[in-house]
Structures are given as structure tokens and as C-alpha cells.
Amino acid sequence: MRVFSEVPAARRTRGLRPVAAIASISLLAGCGVLSSEGSDDEEQITVGTMSAPSTLDPAKAWDSSWELYRNVFQTLLSFPSGATEPEPDAAESCEFKDATSTVYVCELREGLTFSDGDKLDAAAVKYSFDRMRTIAAKGGPTGLLGSLDKVATKGDRTVVFRLKKADATFPFVLATPAMSIVDPGEYPADKLREGDEITGSGPYTLQSYSANDKAELVRNDHYEGAADIKNDAVTIRYFQKSSAMIDALKNKQIDVTFRGLASEDIVAMQGRGRREQDIELVEGSGTEIRYLVFNTKDPWARKLPVRRAFAQLLDRGAIAHKIYKDTVEPLYSMVPRGLTGHATGFFDKYGNPSVTKAKKILNDAGIHQPVPLTLWYTTDRYGSATEPEFAEIKRQLESSGLFRITLKSRPWTQFQEGYSKGEYPVFGRGWFPDFPDADNFITPFVGPKNVLNTPYPSKEITDEVLPRERREADRSAVIDQFERAQEILVDDVRLLPLWQGKQYILSSEEIAGGERALDPSAIMMMWELQRKTSW
């Protein structure tokens, strides 16, 4: 008999560097020669994913639209393949210039231009940051710049960021696609750009775009940055179902798949299915997480005993095994395994699921009736396993006799609008980190304004814990602060972590570079992919 709720392998993970590397577990026999030149057909690669952009304007998106942005825009800093610290991209160099870490200066590369030929200079960088903050799109990435006071320029190539307070994570923020540099001549200063065009300075230009269908990228010959572009063109196809992506890969309609692969498809490809189809599987550790959010405006979700009883009944191991076929692992804190500061607070407090303990929590609070709660999830953002996952959560809670659960769902766009308006008592979200630091698994979710648009005031976290850890440039020295923040999150149960994912890429045997193609935020760097020309 399998035990679904097991003690985590390690109660605490201290001092680990961020885990970003991925390794191929299926290298097919042969001695592939990588193409260095060839026809356009040979050098074009088609990638399938379920992460379609929600918008083409970086000032609006704090979501998987970043997948596209990373490949068509530039940021001052970025994460090259294998890097866990940000390195210069559009910038030639960046560094703090004062002892208090409140003045950060970047020197741009010479000769930068946008894809339309316009000059990319310090003024364009300042414009991009000022524009994002002026627009302040609801649910947008402005929250990442909470420590920024103002941006100034010195000449054409020097950009000066003055911070309100010390923030050792600021270089990481600059490396996120949210900080994409846009052309002032093409992007209005006070509103979002309309249409299906992008003007950037990244490795590729966007040749054509069809929402929820495909994006066609071609190599940007004027690109000056850190990326070593190994192909001439990439077409990204957006799918609604994992099975459709797999079929397209098997039928050689696409070359690579990632993001949104269903567990059953991954498991099938780990066995004979992969070998029979000449498909290569790249598997690596990841920091993607899934979690539930409780909206305290709801009359039931606002009750702390209800949230704690919910947490006491949740069987993460069953979800990981039954729904995801062990392609994910249970998560007991918002900070995932592999990052400095990871903890297992929810297991430490609640242990294995227990109906008896949950019933006592409710009874002690004077709650003797089944608690009615509505759980919401999105139908088209996190893969086809989301629906059975929520059905399993409903089964777990209702089998206790302590809850009466209603499940509801919407497509992502409508779902996002709903939780932004505070319509959902409890809802599910996923998080792919903006950057590989524990701060990014806590800061975005707390405070009166956060990425969830569900206010979560916690003065100790926002006014004491986070400022302390952000003053520390040595990120291995912030474990105590992150553990304290997680203790508070466990006590409040406003956020309930479910599981931590792994990263999987499936590709045709003709494609190389998959093991290098994901950055620490699991964003695909399309330029790392290339076609093999012979065996």
C-alpha cells in the first residue's frame, strides 16, 4: 500500500544555490553533427507550448507572456544558459555605486538599436521604466519595482537607478522580461500599445502573430547582446491540450514541446513511447509551484479555523501521485526546494492529513456544520490535469464530512479578471519565478497591493522581514529571515502551497540544445535550439 503523505526527505534545506540546470535523460545513440549553415527550412524550428501571451505589451504582463518577451525584447541584465546570477545583456556593465546599495548604475553597450532602426540609448531605457510605472496596469509588473525611487540618465549610455531603500534583489528584477526595453517612438507613454506588433531589440523580431495560434520569429541581424543565436527562425505554436502537442511532435509538425505537458504524456514518453517515436526527453529540477489563495472577503474563507482545517485535510502526496503520476512533488512552503530559505512549515505544523484534527479545529471555533466553499480554477493555463486536480481536492475535503465544495472554472482571461475583482472565495494559481531567489516567492503575494489583487496585509513581513533580507547582498545569509516569513504564512494560511514541478522538454531527435534552453525562471531561450544535420 502506497503512503501518499510522507515526511519530506529534508525538513530544512539550508544554503543551497538556486537550481536551474536541466539534464538530458535520453540521449539517443549517434554522433550528431550540429548545423552551422544551411537553408532556411533547415534552420527554422517550431516549438509547441500551452503558454500563449495574454498581451504583447510588457507594461501589462506579469505572467507567461514573458516566454515571448525574452526572445524579442532586451533587458539590461539576463540569465544566460546555466547562470544563477544576472549578467549583462543590453548593458555592458551594472553595479551598485554606494555602500548602502541604493544607487545602481548600468552602462549600455555601444550601437544598440531597435528592430525598426531607432536608437536604443539611456533615454529609451528610462522611458521604458517611467512608462510602466505611469501606466501601472492592474495585475501588471509594476509591483516588482516597489523599491525604485527614480531613474536618471547621464549621456547616451549611462542609466542611474536610485532606490528608496537597499534592495539586493534589484539586479534580479532588472533581468526579468517585465523590464523589457521598448522603443519610445512605438509605445505610448501613458497607455498600452494596441495591435499585434512588437518593436524590440532582442535576438528575434516578431514577423507575424496570431493570438492563441502562433508567433513567427526571425533572427534579428542587428541584435547586440549576450545571446549566441543558433538558428535563423522559430515558430511558436500555442496549443490548448497536451495531447495535441504530443501528436504534433510525433507527426513532425513541431520540433519541440514544453510548458503544459500532461503527466500522462510525460510518463508515456519516459517509456517505450519515446523510443518508438525517436523523441528525446530532457528532464530537470524546477521551481514552478501551484498553490491556493483564500480571499478573506468571503464570509467562510475569512475564518482562520476554516483555512486551518482545510490545510489539515489536504493530501498533497495523493495529488502528486494520483493526478500528476509523480512528475511533481508535494510542497510544504511557498519557497520551493532548491532555493536558499526553503522550509517545510506546513508539514511541521499539520503533519499527515487528519479528519480528527480538522474536526477539532472547527469544533473549537464553534463550527459544527459542513463548511460551504467554492473553489475556482482556470481551464486553459496550467495544463489538462488542473480539472482532475481540483476534483481530487474536492474529494479529499468532502470525504471528511467537514466541507461542502463547489468547483467552478473559467478560461484564463476571464479567470484573471474574476480574482482581480475579488470574486472567488478560494482559487488556484501557479507561479513561475521572476528570478531564482526566495524573496520572489514571498514578496509578490503580500501587502495591500500584490500580484493576486487580493490584499494580504502582514506588517511583520513587509515592514521588518523583507527589508532586512534585502539589505543582505550575500543571499546565503538570509535563511533566518525567510524562515520567519514562512512561519507567518503558515500561521495565516492565506496561501496554501500544493506542489512543486519539474521541467520537461520533449524534442525530435533532430534537435539539439534542449538541455540549455531554459533559464532559471523556466523561460525558454529559443536561440539555444538548433537542428542536427547528420548522424
Side-chain angles (χ1 to χ4, degrees), residues 267-425:
V267 171
M269 288 296 104
Q270 288 172 331
R272 292 181 57 190
R274 181 189 75 247
R275 295 189 293 273
E276 292 171 354
Q277 298 290 333
D278 293 330
I279 291 172
E280 185 170 314
L281 172 65
V282 174
E283 175 182 331
S285 56
T287 50
E288 166 196 1
I289 70 170
R290 292 289 189 276
Y291 60 99
L292 297 176
V293 182
F294 290 87
N295 182 0
T296 54
K297 292 181 180 179
D298 179 78
W300 284 104
R302 74 191 309 168
K303 298 178 186 292
L304 181 58
V306 168
R307 303 197 299 271
R308 288 179 172 172
F310 192 118
Q312 183 63 71
L313 293 171
L314 186 66
D315 190 338
R316 296 168 176 82
I319 295 171
H321 179 64
K322 293 170 63 176
I323 308 303
Y324 289 96
K325 316 301 181 187
D326 299 317
T327 59
V328 304
E329 60 181 346
L331 181 63
Y332 296 92
S333 76
M334 288 297 288
V335 178
R337 185 190 301 271
L339 293 185
T340 298
H342 166 72
T344 54
F346 277 96
F347 188 89
D348 299 340
K349 184 175 180 68
Y350 295 101
N352 289 321
S354 170
V355 175
T356 301
K357 291 179 180 178
K359 185 175 183 178
K360 184 177 188 305
I361 291 171
L362 292 175
N363 287 346
D364 287 350
I367 302 172
H368 304 287
Q369 66 188 84
V371 175
L373 278 180
T374 300
L375 275 58
W376 282 83
Y377 63 92
T378 180
T379 57
D380 58 353
R381 199 64 174 179
Y382 304 126
S384 56
T386 305
E387 181 178 353
E389 175 183 11
F390 274 75
E392 170 62 17
I393 294 173
K394 171 183 169 74
R395 185 199 65 78
Q396 292 178 10
L397 294 173
E398 291 192 336
S399 66
S400 71
L402 302 175
F403 284 84
R404 188 172 71 252
I405 302 298
T406 300
L407 297 181
K408 292 187 177 182
S409 61
R410 286 175 174 169
W412 173 251
T413 302
Q414 290 89 346
F415 176 79
Q416 194 176 28
E417 291 174 357
Y419 75 69
S420 295
K421 295 176 181 177
E423 295 177 0
Y424 310 149

Side-chain angles (χ1 to χ4, degrees), residues 99-110:
T100 60
S101 296
T102 57
V103 179
Y104 195 72
V105 178
C106 290
E107 190 80 9
L108 295 179
R109 295 175 185 264
E110 288 192 57

Side-chain angles (χ1 to χ4, degrees), residues 37-358:
E37 57 181 304
S39 69
D40 290 342
D41 288 341
E42 288 177 343
E43 291 302 304
Q44 178 163 319
I45 293 173
T46 302
V47 177
T49 178
M50 290 179 65
S51 292
S54 62
T55 173
L56 296 185
D57 193 324
K60 170 68 173 174
W62 198 346
D63 58 25
S64 56
S65 301
W66 290 9
E67 305 275 13
L68 180 60
Y69 300 169
R70 173 59 75 206
N71 292 278
V72 295
F73 289 105
Q74 262 187 303
T75 47
L76 292 169
L77 302 171
S78 64
F79 292 97
S81 180
T84 57
E85 299 286 339
E87 298 180 14
D89 188 2
E92 186 174 85
S93 64
C94 290
E95 61 182 329
F96 281 108
K97 290 291 189 178
D98 66 328
T100 60
S101 296
T102 57
V103 179
Y104 195 72
V105 178
C106 290
E107 190 80 9
L108 295 179
R109 295 175 185 264
E110 288 192 57
L112 293 175
T113 62
F114 292 102
S115 57
D116 61 358
D118 288 351
K119 185 178 180 180
L120 194 168
D121 56 10
V125 175
K126 173 177 166 56
Y127 180 91
S128 300
F129 281 83
D130 290 346
R131 173 179 183 266
M132 183 200 308
R133 300 171 80 193
T134 297
I135 294 173
K138 191 172 185 179
T142 312
L144 285 168
L145 296 175
S147 63
L148 179 63
D149 182 17
K150 59 183 177 181
V151 185
T153 63
K154 291 183 179 179
D156 283 348
R157 293 178 55 203
T158 303
V159 185
V160 181
F161 297 93
R162 297 192 180 277
L163 310 184
K164 302 171 187 174
K165 51 193 174 184
D167 184 359
T169 70
F170 190 71
F172 290 84
V173 171
L174 292 184
T176 67
M179 306 303 144
S180 296
I181 305 167
V182 301
D183 185 346
E186 299 291 340
Y187 290 81
D190 56 358
K191 64 180 181 179
L192 298 173
R193 181 179 183 177
E194 299 179 354
D196 293 333
E197 295 182 351
I198 283 176
T199 309
S201 60
Y204 300 94
T205 60
L206 181 65
Q207 186 175 57
S208 67
Y209 178 77
S210 177
N212 298 310
D213 180 20
K214 66 180 178 180
E216 294 184 331
L217 312 182
V218 295
R219 183 181 183 130
N220 179 7
D221 291 331
H222 301 290
Y223 169 72
E224 295 289 341
D228 179 12
I229 309 170
K230 298 180 174 67
N231 58 66
D232 290 337
V234 174
T235 295
I236 307 172
R237 287 185 53 192
Y238 301 112
F239 290 82
Q240 297 294 317
K241 292 184 178 180
S242 172
S243 58
M245 279 202 303
I246 294 294
D247 287 344
L249 180 64
K250 290 178 179 177
N251 294 328
K252 300 189 182 303
Q253 296 168 343
I254 61 175
D255 300 301
V256 181
T257 68
F258 90 114
R259 188 78 80 217
L261 289 167
S263 55
E264 59 267 24
D265 292 325
I266 295 171
V267 171
M269 288 296 104
Q270 288 172 331
R272 292 181 57 190
R274 181 189 75 247
R275 295 189 293 273
E276 292 171 354
Q277 298 290 333
D278 293 330
I279 291 172
E280 185 170 314
L281 172 65
V282 174
E283 175 182 331
S285 56
T287 50
E288 166 196 1
I289 70 170
R290 292 289 189 276
Y291 60 99
L292 297 176
V293 182
F294 290 87
N295 182 0
T296 54
K297 292 181 180 179
D298 179 78
W300 284 104
R302 74 191 309 168
K303 298 178 186 292
L304 181 58
V306 168
R307 303 197 299 271
R308 288 179 172 172
F310 192 118
Q312 183 63 71
L313 293 171
L314 186 66
D315 190 338
R316 296 168 176 82
I319 295 171
H321 179 64
K322 293 170 63 176
I323 308 303
Y324 289 96
K325 316 301 181 187
D326 299 317
T327 59
V328 304
E329 60 181 346
L331 181 63
Y332 296 92
S333 76
M334 288 297 288
V335 178
R337 185 190 301 271
L339 293 185
T340 298
H342 166 72
T344 54
F346 277 96
F347 188 89
D348 299 340
K349 184 175 180 68
Y350 295 101
N352 289 321
S354 170
V355 175
T356 301
K357 291 179 180 178

